[in-house]
Every structure is written in C-alpha cells, then in structure tokens.
Amino acid sequence: MAPQSSTIFSLQAPKDISLNELDAELNQIWQSYGITGENGGLPAATRATTFTLVVYEPEETQYLLATLGFYNGPLDGIFGPQMQAALRQAQRKYTLPDTGKATPETLAILREEFAKRQGIEAAEDNPAVGIPSFNAPSPRIADEIALRNPCRIIALFPIAGEDKGVKAQVSAYCPIQKQSSSTLICCEYITLSGTAAALERVGGMIPALLIGGLPKFLWWKATPDPNNTLFKRLAEVSNNVIVDSCRFNEPESDLLHLEELVESGIPLADLNWRRLSAWQELTAEAYDSPHRRAAIREVDRVTIDYEKGNPAQALLFLGWLASRLQWQPVSYQKETGDYDITQIRFLAQDQRQVEAELAGVPLADVGEIAGDLIALRLSSTNPQADCGTVICSETGGCMRMETHGGAQSAGLFQQVTSLSEQKAEALLSQQVQRWGRESLFEESLGVTANIFKLETNS
C-alpha cells in the first residue's frame, strides 16, 4: 500500500505578478503571517530557509512527441525543422490538420496518447501517476521534495508559440505533518514561464532569487547542453546540477555532454546513477568472500540486459565495473534490430581481452523508468575460474542469462530488489541532502565517454 502523503495547506495560491515585484511579494506573504484552521488548531507559518531548488522542465510538446516516438532530437525547447517534421508526422497519424504547429488539438491528442501509454485513466491533473505538470504552477512540481525538504523552488517552464515575454507567479504551500508542531515550515514557489528565448533573456535575474548563503540546486529535466546560455548561467551558481539520464532522448551524445560538464568543473549528479546502487552492491558482494576476491580478475565476459529504449543505465553500470577493474575500452560496435546489441572490447591491466555485450531487450510490460537493468552475467573463458555470477531483477531475466551460455556455469545467483522509490522526485529528495562532486560517478562516466569516443574517432 502506498504511503499516504501529508496534507498540503495552500498559504498563497498562485498569483500573477510582474518580475520586478517578486521579492516584495514573497516578503509580504511572510510578514507576521499566521494561519488558523476551522478549529483554530493550525500553527503559525514561516518560510523554509534550507536551500533553493531551480527546476527546468522540458517543453511539453517536445517532451510528449519524444515520449511517443515522433521526435528523436534533443529536448531543448527549440521548434526547428526536426520538431515541425515530428508534429506533421503525429498529426498525420492522428488524422489532424497537417500544420506542423503545436495546435491545441494536437496537444490534446498527444496528452491523451501519453496517458494511454502510461496506463493512466485520467490524463488531467493526476500527478500521482507521473504525468508531467507542464505550465501548471502548483505544489505538484515537487511534492516529494517539498514534503521532505521544505525550501524555495523556482520553476522554469519553457512554452511553445509566440514570444510574449515571461509570466511570473508566486505561491506558498505548507506540508502539515502528523506530528504536532508550533510552526508550519512552508515552501515558496516562484514560477517563470515563457518561450525558451524569453527565459534566456531573464536568466540574469534568476541568481538574485536564490537564497543567499544556503545550498543551491539545479534540476535540469531537459537535455543538458553545455552551450545553452541559461543552463551555463544557472550551473555556475549551483552547488549541484542534477539530471536524470533515463529521460535522455539521445543517450550517447547526452552522456558525452555530461562528461564535458564534469571536465569543466560542474558538480554533477545523475538520478539514474542512484538506481544502480542495488546492482553495484550485489556485484561487489558476489566477490567479497576471501575465496572469490581473486576470481574477479578472471572475469573477461560481461553480458548486461536492459529494457530496450534507453541504454544509459547499462552503459553507466559497465563504466563503473570497468573503472573499478581498470579496463580500458579499445573497440565499440552497435547493431539495431529486435534486440539492440552493443559490443565493447576492453583491455585489462594484464593485457587480457574483455568482451562486453549490452542487449536492449523488448518487453511487453515495461517499467516506468526507461532502460531499467534486467539481468547481468559475469563469466570467464578460463574453465578453472570460479567467477561465474548472474544477477537479475526477475526470474525471466535469469532464465535468459542461463540459456546465454558461457565457459562455465554461474557459481552464484542473486536477485536484485528494486529500490522502493525509483521515481525522480523521491531520488531527488535524497540528492538534495548532499552536494558537491561525486568521484565514483565521474570516473564511471569518464570510462563511458571514452567508449563513445572510440566510435567518434573510428
């Protein structure tokens, strides 16, 4: 049974204001503010002074087209020829006027199809099942963060259409916890919406809205682009830049962009990396016993199955394994089909060749996280090696690995218990309790980027 969320009290409903009135409006909300319920039992309210979270949403039309398979470019909010072609393709499929524009009718059918794809009965205003809350400033954008970590949230919503400047709203919400408290600690929301170009123009004023002297986080939910002016401006003033590679529309180039950001000194975190923790822990435990510690060096065959669609998790896991065992990538090949197969060859420190295969497996019942790992097999061409290990998320995954074959049978079977909360909002609420650079993630990402560079240089 899902845990019941705390009640959220609306201290200030979304209110339209001009950009130059933001600070004054926020201060007015909190000046001698107290709230009293019907029974007079609610305590006074005070603003949270913990951290500032800036959330940049992907543009809705582009995100929906990408999710439904019409658009394969970066989620950058730019309506260029590729977006127009995707819109026309969608309009033809759904027998709408072929305009190449994001008409209200087109957006409505895209939302409906997205809801069907997610198995959602009601597509409107249903945040509990993962529908993006585009252009709808409310506590839905960061319920999980606000409930666990009250803070100031600045939401940036790029929209399609004519550039009419930036619309600003402020609001405030207070999570009412079951435990008695003398004061409600409340979240402030500042929402800025406009075209990508309009938001870029006001980018210089956003750092002034961050609470001084406290940690500052940027959750960039679109494609991270080192050349995006707004992204660079916000990243420079953030203690942590947070992305989620399960949302990447072009995983390989986007992961390469992440590596560029790391090299430039930006403290980066990937929520998808957090989803690998159970796999990493079980892999380490498999070779923790004294009689198997040396056996890990005999591994020269790695097979990873993942849900077809996004190889980011599989690539990051392989990058982690290779970085720990100091394998150097030397070749990289891909082929697409019923199974997306990626073959990577490494060179170990003792000059042994290590073969890795990543397989994107088509599943009828996919999870809500694109590209989740299904199964992992480590083995050796040395028949005397006691290093065979199979780890899987379900029995079917293990069975496929068993039929995959190998030089020796797997000596150890383990099953991954999924993280209890894999949704981005839940992982984010944990991420904001830490900040700075993560060396293990950066090293793993570095190996992954070196794999892609083999293809670029070939």
Side-chain angles (χ1 to χ4, degrees), residues 74-360:
L75 299 178
D76 54 11
I78 297 174
F79 275 66
Q82 196 173 358
M83 268 294 296
Q84 291 178 349
L87 279 165
R88 290 183 184 278
Q89 184 184 354
Q91 288 165 339
R92 288 193 292 269
K93 178 171 180 177
Y94 301 125
T95 62
L96 296 170
D98 185 357
T99 64
K101 297 180 180 179
T103 62
E105 295 79 12
T106 303
L107 191 53
I109 194 71
L110 291 175
R111 287 171 175 161
E112 182 181 339
E113 290 300 315
F114 176 87
K116 291 178 183 176
R117 179 77 61 90
Q118 301 295 316
I120 300 164
E121 293 182 2
E124 295 183 0
D125 299 327
N126 191 355
V129 285
I131 296 179
S133 53
F134 301 102
N135 311 327
S138 78
R140 292 179 300 174
I141 184 175
D143 284 359
E144 296 281 352
I145 302 95
L147 288 171
R148 304 179 192 206
N149 310 94
C151 60
R152 174 179 288 184
I153 297 176
I154 302 172
L156 308 177
F157 286 102
I159 59 176
E162 184 183 351
D163 188 342
K164 297 181 179 179
V166 174
K167 175 183 176 182
Q169 287 187 331
V170 295
S171 54
Y173 299 89
C174 312
I176 302 173
Q177 306 294 348
K178 291 182 179 179
Q179 298 86 353
S180 60
S181 174
S182 59
T183 304
L184 289 179
I185 308 299
C186 305
C187 304
E188 301 169 312
Y189 289 78
I190 301 171
T191 306
L192 305 177
S193 59
T195 63
L199 289 174
E200 217 169 271
R201 285 199 305 273
V202 302
M205 65 166 287
I206 296 175
L209 299 174
L210 308 179
I211 302 176
L214 295 175
K216 303 165 184 65
F217 298 91
L218 170 62
W219 186 16
W220 193 267
K221 298 172 74 173
T223 297
D225 181 2
N227 299 314
N228 182 301
T229 304
L230 180 59
F231 176 83
K232 287 195 295 185
R233 188 189 299 269
L234 296 176
E236 286 172 357
V237 296
S238 298
N239 297 95
N240 215 193
V241 176
I242 303 167
V243 299
D244 191 349
S245 59
C246 90
R247 299 175 65 116
F248 286 176
N249 211 29
E250 298 177 307
E252 293 186 9
S253 61
D254 293 343
L255 287 172
L256 272 174
H257 282 153
L258 291 193
E259 170 64 10
E260 292 177 36
L261 296 172
V262 168
E263 290 295 323
S264 68
I266 290 177
L268 200 67
D270 182 0
L271 300 180
N272 216 20
W273 169 258
R274 298 267 169 250
R275 299 186 182 104
L276 293 174
S277 60
W279 293 87
Q280 293 166 331
E281 289 169 10
L282 283 180
T283 303
E285 288 174 7
Y287 299 96
D288 194 41
S289 61
H291 74 280
R292 289 195 110 217
R293 286 176 189 168
I296 185 65
R297 298 293 174 184
E298 295 289 340
V299 171
D300 58 18
R301 293 293 181 269
V302 180
T303 306
I304 302 174
D305 287 357
Y306 63 94
E307 292 183 5
K308 185 177 180 179
N310 185 329
Q313 275 193 29
L315 289 163
L316 287 172
F317 181 89
L318 183 61
W320 168 76
L321 186 65
S323 71
R324 297 303 88 202
L325 296 176
Q326 297 181 298
W327 296 342
Q328 297 299 319
V330 293
S331 71
Y332 173 56
Q333 292 181 327
K334 293 187 305 180
E335 61 179 77
T336 57
D338 291 339
Y339 289 80
D340 288 343
I341 302 296
T342 302
Q343 294 179 322
I344 304 162
R345 181 179 295 114
F346 296 90
L347 204 60
Q349 281 189 303
D350 59 4
Q351 302 304 303
R352 288 182 306 113
Q353 288 196 353
V354 179
E355 304 282 347
E357 179 182 282
L358 277 54

